[in-house]
Amino acid sequence: MTSSWLSASDTHTSSASRTASRFPLHQKGHAVPRFDLSLPELRAYRPTVAEPDDFDEFWKGTLAEARRYRDKPSLALVDSPLSQVEVYDAVFSGFGGDPVRAWFLVPARTTGRLPTVVEFNGYGGGRGFPHERLAWVTAGYAYLFMDTRGQGSVWGSGGDTADPHGAGPAVPGFMTRGIERPTEYYYRRVFTDAVRAIDAVRTLDRVDPDRVAVCGGSQGGGIALAASGLSDGLVGVMPEVPFLCHFERAVGMTDTDPYQEIVRYLSVHRDLVDQTFATLSYFDGVNFAKRATAPALFSVGLLDPICPPSTVFAAHNHYAGSAEIEVYPFNEHEGGQGHHWLKQAAWLRERIG
């Protein structure tokens, strides 16, 4: 008997899931075999993804509550060795008015309002140091890099933003924090922070509020998708190998973290399967993609064991605006890396004039 959270559109590819489970994580230099649908099938893949009836009302209310905190973002100039970049330690009000930290970078000795890129980070990382994030600012953009609340102690150079909200029993990690209810789920706070980051950056004197784009890789790509579905007037959205898409398929298909955090949770809380996926439906990147209208440039690695290609294509193929996707047939979760940034830079330049 198929559980209610597994959509009919997924049952025909269950054999692919079983195949994937037989292959362990790749060793460095040895890629896992291709395990998902063929590229023509991926390009046509438009699954039915669970969407709650009150999805729009839920997010409208969430953002209205967060926007009650109208504190102006603060910028503190940092004494930095980066002579060609002005570095600011930024703080803005996120979910519940909580302070969220970010780096705000501007090309030195420039004046006026600049096109701006807002970037969100991968799973477990923090904002680190400003010298680690120079590509967009040295290309002439104002740039805001948002710290992810509660994260920053898994890799990289650390984070600086607390998550002061508690949660019920959860698997170590972030995927199951507050998963009992949509109102308490961890990513409700993170996605709200992302929208408020866009709100905040548009108030800054050096930012052209009509030329703001968002980007991010993996978790950052999922956050960028959510922000694009919840924010108006963006000039571009660039999700790289996005995480947090098509949960029903991802959780049953990949045997790697972070999706495996949900598997471990449900292996203990056997009676909470339907409730868990009901909560996740409020945070699925596919549902945000259906509401996003800014031009988008996705990327996907066809050997990606962390964010299976079909979950990325599910979001891309449901995207409401114009959307392109760069396919890296022999890459895993690293995607295109520096090669892809060059494509992003050329793509965004065309859209900002």
Side-chain angles (χ1 to χ4, degrees):
M1 181 176 179
T2 301
S3 177
S4 61
W5 61 264
L6 181 62
S7 67
S9 65
D10 290 320
T11 58
H12 75 284
T13 55
S14 60
S15 61
S17 299
R18 291 193 295 270
T19 300
S21 69
R22 293 198 300 268
F23 293 100
L25 281 177
H26 72 289
Q27 295 178 352
K28 187 174 181 180
H30 297 277
V32 296
R34 204 162 283 154
F35 62 93
D36 209 331
L37 303 174
S38 69
L39 185 55
E41 290 173 315
L42 289 169
R43 293 194 185 280
Y45 185 60
R46 286 177 58 88
T48 299
V49 173
E51 179 182 312
D53 292 337
D54 64 341
F55 182 92
D56 293 313
E57 290 76 10
F58 175 85
W59 283 107
K60 182 179 179 181
T62 294
L63 296 180
E65 181 181 343
R67 284 172 171 148
R68 289 169 36 213
Y69 301 91
R70 298 185 177 275
D71 300 337
K72 186 175 180 179
S74 66
L75 297 179
L77 184 64
V78 175
D79 184 10
S80 166
L82 301 175
S83 62
Q84 304 305 307
V85 178
E86 294 176 17
V87 177
Y88 296 90
D89 186 359
V91 182
F92 64 90
S93 295
F95 177 89
D98 300 334
V100 179
R101 305 191 80 91
W103 293 120
F104 180 63
L105 310 180
V106 181
R109 294 176 291 280
T110 57
T111 59
R113 294 182 178 271
L114 296 172
T116 301
V117 174
V118 177
E119 184 168 359
F120 309 108
N121 208 2
Y123 191 83
R127 67 172 181 165
F129 296 115
H131 66 260
E132 297 172 310
R133 298 287 174 178
L134 295 180
W136 287 111
V137 68
T138 53
Y141 295 86
Y143 173 71
L144 185 98
F145 187 79
M146 187 185 88
D147 209 16
T148 310
R149 63 168 59 220
Q151 298 190 26
S153 299
V154 177
W155 58 271
S157 303
D160 297 298
T161 300
D163 182 20
H165 301 268
V171 167
F174 305 95
M175 293 298 294
T176 62
R177 291 189 182 183
I179 205 167
E180 302 93 342
R181 291 177 294 280
T183 54
E184 304 301 321
Y185 190 46
Y186 171 75
Y187 281 102
R188 182 183 182 222
R189 302 190 289 278
V190 173
F191 291 173
T192 302
D193 292 346
V195 174
R196 294 295 286 142
I198 296 168
D199 291 348
V201 83
R202 282 174 163 160
T203 70
L204 302 180
D205 293 340
R206 300 305 310 282
V207 170
D208 181 345
D210 297 321
R211 292 191 294 168
V212 175
V214 295
C215 70
S218 190
Q219 175 187 253
I223 297 172
L225 267 178
S228 68
L230 297 171
S231 302
D232 296 325
L234 296 172
V235 296
V237 181
M238 298 174 285
E240 299 178 57
V241 293
F243 179 50
L244 306 169
C245 297
H246 199 358
F247 285 106
E248 302 100 318
R249 182 171 177 84
V251 169
M253 188 172 202
T254 178
D255 60 358
T256 63
D257 281 341
Y259 284 120
Q260 276 290 305
E261 293 176 22
I262 298 172
V263 173
R264 289 193 291 274
Y265 176 84
L266 292 177
S267 73
V268 174
H269 300 283
R270 299 169 177 84
D271 57 335
L272 297 181
V273 173
D274 290 342
Q275 178 56 53
T276 294
F277 283 96
T279 292
L280 292 172
S281 68
Y282 288 87
F283 305 91
D284 198 308
V286 174
N287 293 332
F288 293 111
K290 294 176 185 177
R291 292 159 170 82
T293 58
L297 175 63
F298 286 71
S299 74
V300 62
L302 294 190
L303 301 180
D304 190 342
I306 295 174
C307 295
S310 54
T311 67
V312 176
F313 271 95
H316 171 268
N317 294 345
H318 276 289
Y319 196 84
S322 63
E324 305 170 38
I325 187 164
E326 287 288 338
V327 177
Y328 296 95
F330 298 99
N331 289 94
E332 300 182 28
H333 196 54
E334 78 278 5
Q337 295 183 307
H339 297 275
H340 189 63
W341 185 86
L342 291 173
K343 294 178 179 180
Q344 287 180 318
W347 181 88
L348 186 56
R349 189 183 307 119
E350 290 180 1
R351 279 145 190 84
I352 65 166

